[in-house]
Amino acid sequence: MYALVGGLAAAGYLTSRARTRRASSSSCTASFSLRNMLRIREARPEDAALLLSWVKNINAERNPFLIMEPGEFKMTEEDEKQFLQSCAESENQAYFLGFVEDELVGICQMSASDRAKIRHRGKFGLTVVRQYRGQGVGGALLDHLIAWARANPILTKVELDVHVDNERAIGLYLSRGFVKEGAVRNAVLIDGQYFDQVCMGLARAASQGQT
């Protein structure tokens, strides 16, 4: 879907294997503060309008760690619905929404190729609204996504790129077992200045390959 988190995935028509996947990633709750509860579920095609509005609001924050600039997202609601439907039929992609009561506060998405040689690698993005950052929302979404990936029969490695200065995010990923695998120099251009990105990965221990 969009570059700030990588895309969307959802429910809708599901193949038999995807139904098994859906059962293992159904709604759950995770406590992240004394007063609030986070509910996580997969996105659905009928969430299209909600997500389009959410992206607009996130872009308005002008967060330097997000790739997309205001006005760059061009998808219509119908485009979004079709995207969600196509992701629902994928066996190695997923997209999760985090809610506090009825408020969407965070999203986490896994994208992957259908090509045989690289379909085992999933790349994810995660975004939390400003007022809920630092309260465990991102960690809960990440844990949910990792659990889903470990149960997935295709994925054996999860990857991400993160802004070199995003110390909070890097710390979160390191705490979940991700390792730094390299860097992309001059990966992002912000206000005339280039910034590097750190490449990180989390692989199943039994699937570590030769270099």
Side-chain angles (χ1 to χ4, degrees):
M1 176 193 170
Y2 39 84
L4 77 144
V5 294
L8 288 177
Y13 173 78
L14 301 177
T15 64
S16 59
R17 291 185 70 179
R19 285 194 183 95
T20 301
R21 180 199 74 181
R22 176 71 183 276
S24 68
S25 59
S26 58
S27 297
C28 72
T29 57
S31 175
F32 63 89
S33 75
L34 295 176
R35 298 185 179 181
N36 299 295
M37 295 294 293
L38 178 69
R39 178 173 58 89
I40 302 173
R41 67 163 173 82
E42 282 191 274
R44 310 180 184 116
E46 55 266 31
D47 294 317
L50 170 65
L51 289 166
L52 293 181
S53 176
W54 196 84
V55 171
K56 180 180 179 180
N57 291 335
I58 285 291
N59 280 345
E61 293 181 2
R62 300 191 65 85
N63 187 331
F65 299 139
L66 302 181
I67 299 300
M68 186 176 297
E69 291 284 353
E72 290 184 343
F73 182 69
K74 304 296 184 182
M75 289 185 73
T76 66
E77 184 174 343
E78 185 57 33
D79 292 336
E80 183 69 8
K81 287 181 179 178
Q82 292 178 8
F83 180 86
L84 294 173
Q85 185 65 45
S86 66
C87 287
E89 298 170 10
S90 171
E91 295 180 335
N92 58 351
Q93 300 187 80
Y95 188 89
F96 298 105
L97 309 180
F99 292 87
V100 174
E101 297 181 345
D102 294 328
E103 181 183 2
L104 178 59
V105 300
I107 57 179
C108 190
Q109 184 265 344
M110 183 80 75
S111 61
S113 173
D114 60 358
R115 296 179 180 177
K117 292 183 179 180
I118 58 173
R119 66 197 303 254
H120 66 284
R121 296 166 53 195
K123 196 163 190 175
F124 84 92
L126 188 158
T127 306
V128 176
V129 295
R130 178 177 295 163
Q131 60 267 38
Y132 284 93
R133 292 172 193 156
Q135 301 183 59
V137 176
L141 283 166
L142 179 58
D143 290 342
H144 191 81
L145 189 72
I146 291 173
W148 174 86
R150 285 174 173 162
N152 187 279
I154 298 174
L155 295 177
T156 59
K157 186 181 181 188
V158 178
E159 303 172 343
L160 66 97
D161 298 327
V162 60
H163 197 293
V164 69
D165 292 334
N166 195 345
E167 296 179 358
R168 174 182 287 177
I170 292 173
L172 172 63
Y173 302 140
L174 290 173
S175 74
R176 297 317 196 262
F178 285 83
V179 297
K180 296 180 180 180
E181 298 183 332
V184 180
R185 303 300 181 189
N186 296 345
V188 182
L189 178 63
I190 302 175
D191 296 330
Q193 183 177 358
Y194 288 100
F195 294 88
D196 298 346
Q197 284 188 329
V198 178
C199 306
M200 304 183 72
L202 176 66
R204 294 183 189 175
S207 303
Q208 298 284 1
Q210 296 181 345
T211 57

